[in-house]
């Protein structure tokens, strides 16, 4: 008997050890998949510039990941529970690695990146045809040769990125639903929130590393090692700059492949924690085998019907779709928003986004899971906590409307040549009395900043006649349009943001950090309401269906329709040598802000309508259950009192009989 107990204890310890190994491996998989996802989000602007795409088309590339998910999501979530789940997760991780590698291929198949400029790079700055040449004609002429246009634009290369992202989405499909269902099946119920909180923490560590990697790669020139960077006349702050996006993708590919290796050595299933005897373990394994031998498609439709008849599940699904639309917009385009709104470089925007947003989210997830475990929060309490905390975050997030900056002053676009404000959507006149006889190209984006803190689209449009220096140190003098300053000189690039705008950036980052912590604090209680609202046998399908719906109704369309709205705020599109439009160079930051914050805030606000119904339904259900319990207790107490009265009367009758006999 003692030997049997020892064997059972050893078996239980092995089970606990294996589930912890699985949890650690799954955390690594979460880190690697979110690492690659956040890195791709951080380089969307670089892809836009590299392939000269519109924001809406870049949104399609971003949403293609969700398309890959949709191809297998529901079927993997349901049928995957009947198969070897760790093995499927391993295959998924390695598939994601292949997708990341495929996305990096265009860099090795394309010629070196060429940015638009009025400066003649072929002449090594020996010609001054990019300056104001009064009574002369500039040498720059667009090429009309179709083959040269094809060689320059490389329009088909972005399809590698699109297909690679679809493959990455296919590989990501089994990781979350099968991983969570595996944990839910083989751990104690009270430990589940903490374990899922650990997984969510892993899904935050990955993006943190991804954004730091993105910041590092974006700050490095795309063709580093193959071109002389000393000859560049653009900096990372320039809207024509393209960073080494391909380098990070290769790192992500390696991380995804390595994260899949541990799952190859994990078992298909584990004994459920809490089984006390070997007979229980054997019987449990027999039941699983019997279930697997049955027709696994037999109960698919009944389970689907049961899920859609579950009011809490459906309302949670609607809430998630609305909020995922808002978060897809905010997360995908936050670096672009910060870059355009506050005048910082893409590398700095990515770095600040990672540092200020992700650590608070990580602490919020851990705190939420700890609170659920420590105080043993029930479903009703979890719903109240999630709703109230999320609503507090919503009102806090609305303060971001106050952290605003004006458009960057660019002569002829956002302000007049005298520096006065103008309607950005009026007919633009980039020519003025100071440069009308300079024979300038008025479509080429090659900005310079004058000593009057006013930017111009090119040195020629600023009326500059001479220059000195080379590369990024080039400066211009004798600029006829710069009249409000003692000096009439200019230097490359847009003018920096004002001190007031820099202060607004700090306020925005602080609000963003607080908002991230508060919302993530509500995430684990909210997810527990979701998991506890569905039956155990519906759990894997319910999680997969939830992911399917949020992707098809939020993850795919949100970046596309929001990209179209962003494109409508573009003030100047880049111009290629073949005359076609390139990527947008400057946006109307006021309208950009209105669309970005207004749309995301509206979507989140509407989501609280179905969320409030969830709270009311749970409250009603629990009150009904408590009422039934009270009635049952009253009936039991009444029955006990009646039994006591009958016993008392019986004893009294017995005493009377005894007295009579005596």
């Amino acid at each position: 008997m003692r030997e049997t107990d020892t064997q059972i204890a050893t078996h239980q310890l092995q089970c606990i050890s294996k589930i912890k190994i699985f949890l650690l491996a799954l955390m690594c998989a979460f880190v690697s998949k979110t690492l690659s996802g956040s890195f791709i989000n951080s380089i969307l602007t670089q892809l836009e510039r590299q392939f000269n795409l519109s924001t809406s088309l870049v949104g399609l590339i971003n949403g293609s990941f969700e398309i890959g998910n949709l191809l297998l999501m529901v079927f993997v979530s349901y049928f995957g529970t009947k198969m070897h789940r760790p093995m499927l997760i391993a295959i998924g991780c390695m598939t994601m690695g292949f997708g990341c590698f495929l996305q990096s291929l265009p860099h090795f198949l394309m010629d070196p990146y060429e940015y638009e400029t009025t400066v003649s790079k072929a002449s090594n700055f020996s010609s001054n045809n990019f300056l104001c040449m009064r009574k002369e004609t500039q040498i720059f002429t667009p090429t009309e040769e179709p083959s040269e246009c094809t060689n320059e634009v490389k329009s088909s290369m972005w399809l590698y990125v699109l297909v690679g992202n679809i493959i990455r989405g296919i590989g990501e499909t089994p990781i979350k639903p099968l991983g969570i269902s595996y944990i839910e099946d083989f751990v104690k119920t009270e430990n589940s929130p903490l374990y899922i909180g650990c997984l969510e923490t892993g899904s935050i560590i990955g993006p943190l590393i991804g954004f730091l990697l993105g910041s590092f790669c974006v700050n490095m020139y795309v063709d580093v090692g193959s071109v002389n960077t000393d000859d560049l006349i653009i900096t990372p702050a320039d809207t024509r700059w393209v960073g080494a996006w391909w380098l990070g993708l290769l790192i992500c590919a390696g991380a995804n492949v390595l994260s899949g290796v541990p799952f190859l050595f994990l078992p298909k299933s584990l004994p459920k924690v809490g089984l006390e005897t070997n007979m229980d373990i054997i019987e449990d394994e027999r039941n699983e085998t019997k279930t697997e031998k049955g027709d696994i498609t037999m109960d698919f439709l009944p389970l689907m019907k049961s899920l859609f008849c579950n009011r809490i599940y459906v309302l949670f699904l609607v809430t998630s779709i609305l909020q995922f639309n808002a978060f897809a917009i905010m997360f995908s385009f936050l670096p672009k928003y910060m870059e355009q709104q506050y005048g910082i470089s893409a590398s700095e925007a990515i770095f600040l986004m990672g540092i200020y947003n992700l650590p608070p989210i990580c602490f919020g997830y851990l705190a939420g899971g700890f609170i659920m475990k420590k105080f043993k929060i029930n479903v009703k309490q979890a719903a109240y906590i999630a709703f109230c905390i999320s609503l507090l975050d919503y009102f806090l997030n609305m303060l971001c409307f106050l952290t605003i900056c004006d458009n960057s002053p660019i002569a002829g676009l956002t302000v007049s040549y005298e520096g006065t404000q103008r309607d950005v959507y009026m007919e633009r006149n980039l020519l003025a009395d100071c440069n009308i006889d300079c024979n300038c190209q008025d479509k080429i984006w090659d900005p310079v900043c004058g000593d009057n803190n006013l930017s111009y689209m090119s040195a020629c449009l600023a009326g500059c006649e001479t220059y000195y220096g080379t590369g990024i140190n080039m400066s211009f003098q004798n600029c006829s349009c710069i009249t409000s300053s003692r000096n009439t000189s200019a230097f490359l690039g847009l003018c920096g943001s004002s001190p007031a705008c820099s202060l607004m950036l700090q306020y925005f980052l602080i609000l963003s950090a607080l908002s991230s912590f508060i919302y993530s604090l509500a995430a684990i209680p909210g997810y527990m309401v979701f998991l506890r609202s569905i039956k155990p046998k519906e759990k894997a399908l319910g999680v997969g269906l939830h992911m399917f719906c949020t992707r098809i109704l939020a993850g795919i369309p949100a970046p596309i329709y929001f990209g179209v709205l962003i494109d409508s705020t573009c003030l100047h599109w880049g111009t290629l040598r073949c005359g076609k439009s390139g990527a947008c160079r400057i946006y109307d930051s006021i309208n950009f802000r209105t669309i970005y914050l207004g749309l995301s805030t509206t979507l989140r606000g509407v989501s609280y309508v179905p969320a409030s119904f969830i709270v009311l339904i749970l409250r009603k259900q629990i009150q009904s259950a408590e009422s039934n319990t009270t009635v049952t207790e009253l009936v039991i107490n009444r029955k006990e009192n009646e039994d006591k009265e009958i016993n008392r009367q019986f004893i009294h009758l017995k005493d009377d009989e005894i007295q009579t006999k005596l």
Side-chain angles (χ1 to χ4, degrees):
M1 183 68 181
R2 290 181 179 177
E3 184 178 354
T4 303
D5 292 340
T6 303
Q7 291 176 349
I8 294 173
T10 303
H11 193 83
Q12 291 288 349
L13 288 175
Q14 291 176 350
C15 174
I16 294 172
S17 177
K18 288 179 180 178
I19 197 65
K20 289 184 177 180
I21 292 173
F22 178 84
L23 177 65
L24 180 61
L26 192 61
M27 281 187 66
C28 292
F30 269 56
V31 169
S32 63
K33 80 182 184 70
T34 52
L35 161 66
S36 54
S38 61
F39 178 79
I40 290 174
N41 272 308
S42 70
I43 62 169
L44 290 178
T45 304
Q46 311 306 308
L47 298 176
E48 179 180 338
R49 298 170 185 172
Q50 173 78 75
F51 301 107
N52 292 295
L53 305 174
S54 64
T55 307
S56 57
L57 198 53
V58 171
L60 175 62
I61 294 175
N62 190 31
S64 63
F65 173 81
E66 315 296 349
I67 296 175
N69 263 240
L70 293 180
L71 298 177
L72 296 176
M73 176 57 67
V74 175
F75 295 102
V76 165
S77 299
Y78 177 70
F79 297 112
T81 58
K82 317 296 182 182
M83 302 177 186
H84 198 303
R85 282 178 279 187
M87 185 66 67
L88 289 178
I89 294 174
I91 294 172
C93 290
M94 295 179 183
T95 303
M96 289 182 66
F98 173 72
C100 290
F101 174 75
L102 186 63
Q103 288 180 292
S104 68
L105 279 183
H107 171 74
F108 304 99
L109 301 177
M110 295 175 63
D111 294 330
Y113 169 67
E114 293 186 7
Y115 49 89
E116 63 175 310
T117 178
T118 57
V119 178
S120 176
K121 290 174 282 187
S123 60
N124 196 23
F125 311 108
S126 60
S127 172
N128 62 353
N129 55 38
F130 55 91
L131 299 174
C132 177
M133 302 172 63
R134 303 184 189 278
K135 299 181 181 181
E136 297 182 30
T137 303
Q138 285 192 318
I139 299 174
F140 182 90
T141 56
T143 178
E144 301 293 341
E145 180 63 33
S147 61
E148 293 185 18
C149 290
T150 302
N151 290 333
E152 179 190 4
V153 180
K154 297 287 184 181
S155 58
S156 62
M157 289 292 106
W158 64 272
L159 292 175
Y160 281 91
V161 183
L162 179 72
V163 174
N165 216 28
I166 292 175
I167 294 175
R168 197 174 65 85
I170 292 173
E172 195 263 355
T173 304
I175 296 176
K176 185 171 183 178
L178 298 188
I180 289 180
S181 65
Y182 196 90
I183 288 175
E184 284 281 317
D185 288 345
F186 303 121
V187 301
K188 293 181 179 179
T189 303
E190 60 267 25
N191 290 336
S192 179
L194 182 60
Y195 282 9
I196 292 178
C198 291
L199 291 179
E200 296 297 339
T201 302
S203 66
I204 297 304
I205 295 174
L208 178 59
I209 300 173
F211 282 122
L212 294 178
L213 177 63
S215 178
F216 172 76
C217 292
V218 168
N219 202 48
M220 187 184 304
Y221 190 64
V222 61
D223 294 313
V224 61
S226 59
V227 299
N228 185 6
T229 55
D230 293 335
D231 292 338
L232 297 176
I233 60 172
I234 57 174
T235 65
D238 198 293
T239 56
R240 294 165 293 173
W241 177 274
V242 175
W245 53 272
W246 54 273
L247 179 60
L249 287 172
L250 291 178
I251 296 174
C252 292
N256 279 294
V257 171
L258 291 176
S259 67
V261 173
F263 294 99
L264 298 174
F265 304 98
L266 289 169
K268 179 179 180 180
S269 61
L270 295 171
K272 294 178 176 60
V273 176
L275 298 180
E276 296 180 354
T277 67
N278 286 332
M279 291 303 297
D280 290 335
I281 296 169
I282 294 171
E283 185 65 26
D284 181 68
E285 293 176 351
R286 285 178 179 175
N287 290 336
E288 288 185 356
T289 304
K290 184 177 178 181
T291 302
E292 291 171 7
K293 288 181 179 179
D295 185 3
I296 60 177
T297 63
M298 188 68 69
D299 56 348
F300 179 75
L301 291 179
L303 287 178
M304 291 285 287
K305 181 180 178 181
S306 176
L307 285 172
F308 281 107
C309 289
N310 186 334
R311 292 181 297 171
I312 295 178
Y313 179 83
V314 173
L315 288 170
F316 193 93
L317 196 61
V318 174
T319 303
S320 298
I321 290 170
L322 291 169
Q323 295 208 356
F324 274 48
N325 269 277
F327 294 138
I329 292 170
M330 297 180 69
F331 185 74
S332 299
F333 296 99
L334 181 56
K336 179 186 279 287
Y337 173 78
M338 294 173 64
E339 185 180 353
Q340 294 294 327
Q341 183 69 31
Y342 301 107
I344 59 178
S345 67
S347 175
E348 187 178 359
I350 296 167
F351 178 79
L352 291 175
M353 178 180 175
I355 292 297
Y356 276 86
N357 288 329
L358 298 180
I361 293 176
C362 180
F363 289 126
Y365 278 143
L366 284 175
F370 176 78
I371 291 171
M372 290 287 292
K373 178 176 173 61
K374 177 70 175 179
F375 299 101
K376 298 180 180 179
I377 304 296
N378 59 36
V379 176
K380 178 184 174 182
Q381 293 169 332
Y384 276 123
I385 291 172
F387 182 83
C388 294
I389 294 179
S390 178
L391 193 62
L392 174 63
D393 165 65
Y394 173 72
F395 290 120
L396 180 65
N397 202 49
M398 293 183 70
L399 295 177
C400 290
F401 280 101
L402 303 177
T403 59
I404 59 176
C405 292
D406 294 328
N407 280 316
S408 178
I410 303 174
L413 281 181
T414 60
V415 296
S416 67
Y417 274 83
E418 290 75 28
T420 57
Q421 294 292 329
R422 63 186 296 273
D423 187 352
V424 294
Y425 295 104
M426 289 177 59
E427 184 179 356
R428 298 160 197 166
N429 187 6
L430 296 174
L431 300 178
D433 293 337
C434 61
N435 60 21
I436 197 169
D437 57 346
C438 289
N439 298 298
C440 300
Q441 290 288 333
D442 59 357
K443 293 183 179 180
I444 304 300
W445 180 261
D446 198 6
V448 296
C449 177
D451 285 333
N452 56 354
N453 290 324
L454 193 63
S455 299
Y456 301 85
M457 273 187 57
S458 67
C460 182
L461 288 172
C464 301
E465 298 180 354
T466 59
Y467 77 96
Y468 64 91
T470 59
I472 59 175
N473 297 317
M474 183 183 293
S475 298
F476 307 92
Q477 292 180 330
N478 300 328
C479 304
S480 58
C481 294
I482 304 175
T483 58
S484 59
S485 174
R486 292 183 179 179
N487 297 322
T488 58
S489 59
F491 55 88
L492 288 172
L494 290 174
C495 297
S497 58
S498 64
C501 189
S502 300
L503 184 61
M504 287 297 172
L505 173 61
Q506 296 300 318
Y507 291 150
F508 175 80
L509 292 172
I510 293 172
L511 285 173
S512 183
L514 289 174
S515 176
S516 298
F517 174 76
I518 294 173
Y519 186 82
S520 61
L521 194 63
I524 298 301
Y527 201 68
M528 285 299 103
V529 173
F530 166 69
L531 289 177
R532 298 294 180 255
S533 68
I534 51 182
K535 300 174 183 177
K537 64 179 181 179
E538 301 170 354
K539 201 158 289 181
L541 181 61
V543 172
L545 185 62
H546 175 264
M547 296 175 70
F548 176 86
C549 292
T550 52
R551 277 162 168 73
I552 197 171
L553 297 176
I556 295 175
I560 298 174
Y561 70 71
F562 188 70
V564 173
L565 294 174
I566 289 180
D567 286 337
S568 67
T569 67
C570 183
L571 295 179
H572 183 79
W573 295 91
T575 303
L576 307 177
R577 286 188 302 169
C578 53
K580 294 183 179 180
S581 296
C584 184
R585 301 306 184 195
I586 188 74
Y587 295 87
D588 175 14
S589 62
I590 297 175
N591 282 337
F592 194 134
R593 178 179 65 248
T594 302
I595 293 173
Y596 178 81
L597 295 178
L599 184 58
S600 58
T601 302
T602 301
L603 288 169
R604 284 194 63 186
V606 175
S607 71
Y608 290 107
V609 176
S612 62
F613 282 110
I614 293 176
V615 175
L616 293 175
I617 290 173
L618 284 174
R619 181 180 179 183
K620 185 176 180 181
Q621 287 180 349
I622 293 176
Q623 285 179 345
S624 177
E626 291 175 350
S627 177
N628 292 336
T629 302
T630 303
V631 171
T632 303
E633 290 176 352
L634 289 173
V635 171
I636 292 173
N637 291 334
R638 182 178 178 182
K639 182 66 176 175
E640 290 177 351
N641 292 332
E642 289 178 352
D643 291 342
K644 288 180 181 178
E645 180 65 21
I646 291 172
N647 290 333
R648 188 186 64 78
Q649 292 179 0
F650 178 77
I651 293 172
H652 182 71
L653 288 174
K654 283 292 184 181
D655 290 340
D656 289 344
E657 289 179 2
I658 293 171
Q659 291 293 331
T660 302
K661 288 181 179 180
L662 290 173

